[in-house]
Amino acid sequence: MSAAEDTLLAAARVSQAWPFEEARKLIARLEKHPKDEVLFETGYGPSGLPHIGTFGEVARTTMVRRAFETLTEGRVKTRLLAFSDDMDGLRKVPDNIPNKELVGAHLHKPLTQVPDPFGTHDSFGAHNNARLRAFLDAFGFEYEFASSTDYYKSGKFDAALLHMLARYDAIMKIMLPTFREERASTYSPFLPIHPVTGHVMQVPLESHDAAAGTIAWKDPNSGETFVTPVTGGHCKLQWKPDWAMRWYALKVDYEMAGKDLIESVKLSGQIVRALGGVPPEGFNYELFLDEKGQKISKSKGNGLTIEEWLTYASPESLAQFMYQKPSAAKRLYFDVIPRTVDEYLAFLDAYPRQAWKERLGNPAWHIHNGAPPASEKLAHGEGATAISFVMLLNLAAVANSEDPAVLWGFLQRYSPGVSPGTHPRLDKLVGYAVAYFRDFVRPNKVYRAPDDVERNALAQISAMLGRVGPKASAEEIQTALYDIARAIPRYQDLKAKGATPERPGVSNEFFNMLYQVLLGENRGPRFGSFVALYGVEGTRKLIDDALAGAFAKA
């Protein structure tokens, strides 16, 4: 082992980053139950279109997988199975699909037997599975896809299903106390597929025969009794016993779940133990909320879709959102995108300067599987600057343009020689910024006219910019801005760190005023950096227009 690898391993063993904490649980599991391979699993219910929560589960599980591989130095083989419950019966027609009547005529059938309302695949289940796989493939996840329908019909679950049937009474003893009396009287963990209608039948059993591997049940409409084998795809399980059976049959070692499934995890774990197996390790993450604070639902289609996020930001920024505080509920809506993008860029920029202990707590390490790329910066004067998403949004706002070439004009004036070819990731960021500006910033821009105190401050800023000239650095401009604000009583902050009566601090109100009057926004980038990028003369023209009332009138 090289010195660098030794340092990495030592840091990993003590890292408090949550993926490493989860990975250490797996190592402890292997000490009790030795295996040559560790199986990670994620589940997907394709009754609705894939959403970001599904991606989040795969992304987070992958982060734990990489942390485990780092701690075990790659000596233990790992696999990630993305499992689709596509044999579930369709209970209702989703709100966000076309051809609802077509789908509605096939309620209660397995999702892989429901026609595709989009007309692109053999079934609705196959369509949604393809949507999930296309995104996971585009992001570069290393995984194996598994279809519940395929596993049931191919016989991969047959042995486990027969074992479940043999342990029928033990499973019922676990499940029945969780139901009200009426539901308990009709409950069966086995759901036969109707040989005539193809429906997944929610019916009580007349009897079960473990030796024959069959269940007997009665059609509630016709009164006819059927005897159905539990093997070969003729029958499936209720979802909690199904989850447990899958853990048992596949020997799953790790699977996450949302906090709304805590009780389900416990019940499924009890069933696995009743079968003689060991439940997987895992943790319960908090749910995503939409702009109204309600849980995101596949069938409702509220919140952000995968495609929507990727219209305005990179997959890496989405992984950043997933990494941060998985145990905390978070709003997942359009307004979180700029902040998340800039958090990701800041962590990527900081990574090379960090020691290994800090690097392993940096989301960039986990997002990029331990090998983050170098941050793309623009050379300016004697330094180099990483351009933020918010900065690009404000450039687009001031230029009032949706043309990426206009933003590149500012960037190339700031750093001659830079181009989309030299900075391809920055070029994508520019594209995301103009799309976000078009759809969210421009429709909501609200300028306000400055009052007398603010007019005086703006006039002082313009005069200062005239003195420092077009080649002034961002830091020089920022310092001069503070000096102007510090002399204006409205903007003095005596509670700021290091403030004295002779040299007061500067309140955020000063910069908020600049954003509101000059940019039509409530928030913005570091203003000295904005001026350096937009240009001193351009900023003076911006101030002149604001003082003339041009923006407020518009």
Side-chain angles (χ1 to χ4, degrees):
M1 181 184 294
S2 68
E5 292 171 331
D6 189 54
T7 302
L8 168 60
L9 183 58
R13 286 172 175 163
V14 297
S15 176
Q16 295 181 354
W18 68 262
F20 283 102
E21 292 179 343
E22 292 298 299
R24 283 191 281 272
K25 287 161 52 175
L26 273 170
I27 291 174
R29 176 187 179 91
L30 285 186
E31 291 173 353
K32 294 180 181 179
H33 310 285
K35 290 177 63 179
D36 295 329
E37 177 183 273
V38 167
L39 180 62
F40 295 82
E41 184 182 62
T42 61
Y44 167 57
S47 58
L49 303 181
H51 61 88
I52 286 178
T54 308
F55 162 76
E57 195 165 302
V58 179
R60 288 167 171 167
T61 302
T62 297
M63 292 173 186
V64 176
R65 181 185 182 186
R66 297 309 178 208
F68 173 81
E69 291 172 344
T70 298
L71 286 169
T72 57
E73 303 174 70
R75 293 191 301 266
V76 181
K77 182 181 177 182
T78 65
R79 293 168 55 217
L80 171 58
L81 197 66
F83 199 95
S84 172
D85 290 310
D86 56 18
M87 200 169 169
D88 287 353
L90 181 65
R91 297 186 179 183
K92 64 177 182 178
V93 179
D95 296 331
N96 57 343
I97 63 169
N99 298 316
K100 293 181 181 179
E101 296 80 7
L102 173 69
V103 172
H106 295 269
L107 287 176
H108 311 301
K109 289 184 180 180
L111 290 159
T112 46
Q113 298 302 314
V114 176
D116 177 16
F118 298 91
T120 59
H121 292 77
D122 293 337
S123 69
F124 189 32
H127 172 271
N128 289 340
N129 287 341
R131 291 281 295 272
L132 174 72
R133 296 178 70 177
F135 179 75
L136 298 181
D137 291 342
F139 192 81
F141 285 116
E142 180 186 337
Y143 72 100
E144 300 169 31
F145 178 78
S147 158
S148 177
T149 301
D150 292 345
Y151 273 50
Y152 269 100
K153 289 188 173 182
S154 69
K156 287 183 179 180
F157 285 154
D158 281 359
L161 289 166
L162 291 171
H163 188 48
M164 292 276 287
L165 190 60
R167 299 290 295 155
Y168 181 87
D169 291 338
I171 294 167
M172 292 291 280
K173 188 176 181 179
I174 293 168
M175 293 301 302
L176 290 182
T178 67
F179 302 119
R180 294 180 179 178
E181 184 177 350
E182 182 179 355
R183 172 68 170 138
S185 66
T186 62
Y187 178 80
S188 166
F190 290 89
L191 304 176
I193 308 300
H194 199 296
V196 179
T197 66
H199 289 182
V200 179
M201 300 301 293
Q202 295 267 357
V203 291
L205 298 188
E206 299 288 307
S207 63
H208 62 279
D209 188 336
T214 59
I215 55 174
W217 55 281
K218 184 180 292 185
D219 185 324
N221 294 318
S222 68
E224 183 178 1
T225 298
F226 295 91
V227 177
T228 300
V230 299
T231 54
H234 299 288
C235 178
K236 75 173 299 292
L237 294 170
Q238 297 270 13
W239 80 270
K240 293 172 187 174
D242 183 85
W243 205 7
M245 182 275 295
R246 194 160 76 222
W247 288 347
Y248 172 80
L250 304 179
K251 296 180 172 57
V252 175
D253 295 292
Y254 190 89
E255 182 162 1
M256 298 180 178
K259 283 194 174 179
D260 57 335
L261 298 180
I262 289 177
E263 290 305 313
S264 300
V265 170
K266 291 179 180 178
L267 282 173
S268 296
Q270 291 176 34
I271 295 174
V272 172
R273 293 186 185 94
L275 296 174
V278 181
E281 305 300 318
F283 84 97
N284 296 103
Y285 54 82
E286 260 292 1
L287 305 178
F288 297 127
L289 309 175
D290 65 12
E291 78 278 15
K292 298 178 182 177
Q294 298 179 343
K295 176 187 171 184
I296 287 176
S297 165
K298 292 191 299 292
S299 59
K300 290 182 180 179
N302 58 335
L304 279 172
T305 66
I306 290 170
E307 290 81 1
E308 285 170 335
W309 185 288
L310 295 182
T311 299
Y312 306 110
S314 67
E316 292 81 8
S317 67
L318 179 54
Q320 166 75 31
F321 184 84
M322 298 303 167
Y323 177 86
Q324 295 286 64
K325 300 179 180 178
S327 296
K330 292 184 287 188
R331 289 179 68 251
L332 180 54
Y333 207 63
F334 295 101
D335 58 0
V336 308
I337 290 177
R339 181 178 69 251
T340 304
V341 172
D342 282 343
E343 285 175 353
Y344 164 72
L345 294 174
F347 280 116
L348 189 66
D349 185 49
Y351 184 82
R353 302 188 297 273
Q354 294 175 322
W356 271 113
K357 181 179 179 181
E358 287 73 35
R359 285 184 175 185
L360 296 185
N362 186 325
W365 189 92
H366 301 272
I367 291 168
H368 293 283
N369 295 324
S375 175
E376 289 187 346
K377 298 184 178 183
L378 299 186
H380 182 71
E382 297 180 357
T385 305
I387 302 300
S388 71
F389 190 68
V390 170
M391 180 71 78
L392 292 174
L393 287 178
N394 280 279
L395 284 177
V398 172
N400 200 32
S401 175
E402 300 169 17
D403 184 357
V406 172
L407 268 65
W408 270 107
F410 291 113
L411 299 175
Q412 289 168 333
R413 183 178 61 186
Y414 179 79
S415 181
V418 70
S419 71
T422 62
H423 288 62
R425 282 184 282 120
L426 178 57
D427 187 43
K428 289 183 178 180
L429 192 67
V430 168
Y432 293 134
V434 296
Y436 194 92
F437 165 72
R438 177 193 65 223
D439 294 341
F440 299 106
V441 177
R442 174 181 278 175
N444 296 301
K445 288 179 70 65
V446 179
Y447 292 91
R448 68 172 180 82
D451 62 23
D452 290 342
V453 172
E454 293 164 342
R455 293 179 67 85
N456 178 57
L458 289 169
Q460 290 187 58
I461 292 171
S462 181
M464 174 271 291
L465 293 176
R467 291 193 299 273
V468 300
K471 294 185 178 180
S473 68
E475 195 60 41
E476 183 180 356
I477 295 168
Q478 190 76 8
T479 299
L481 287 168
Y482 273 106
D483 288 340
I484 291 171
R486 193 172 282 118
I488 301 173
R490 176 185 292 182
Y491 302 126
Q492 293 174 352
D493 182 3
L494 295 174
K495 296 181 180 179
K497 184 178 180 181
T500 65
E502 294 75 22
R503 187 178 173 79
V506 174
S507 72
N508 289 333
E509 186 182 351
F510 174 70
F511 293 101
N512 291 341
M513 177 272 292
L514 297 179
Y515 304 141
Q516 293 163 4
V517 173
L518 300 180
L519 305 180
E521 299 287 331
N522 288 320
R523 296 183 300 272
R526 192 168 185 265
F527 206 77
S529 299
F530 170 78
V531 174
L533 187 55
Y534 185 62
V536 166
E537 290 307 314
T539 305
R540 295 190 75 191
K541 175 66 165 56
L542 203 62
I543 293 172
D544 288 343
D545 289 343
L547 292 176
F551 301 143
K553 289 176 184 177

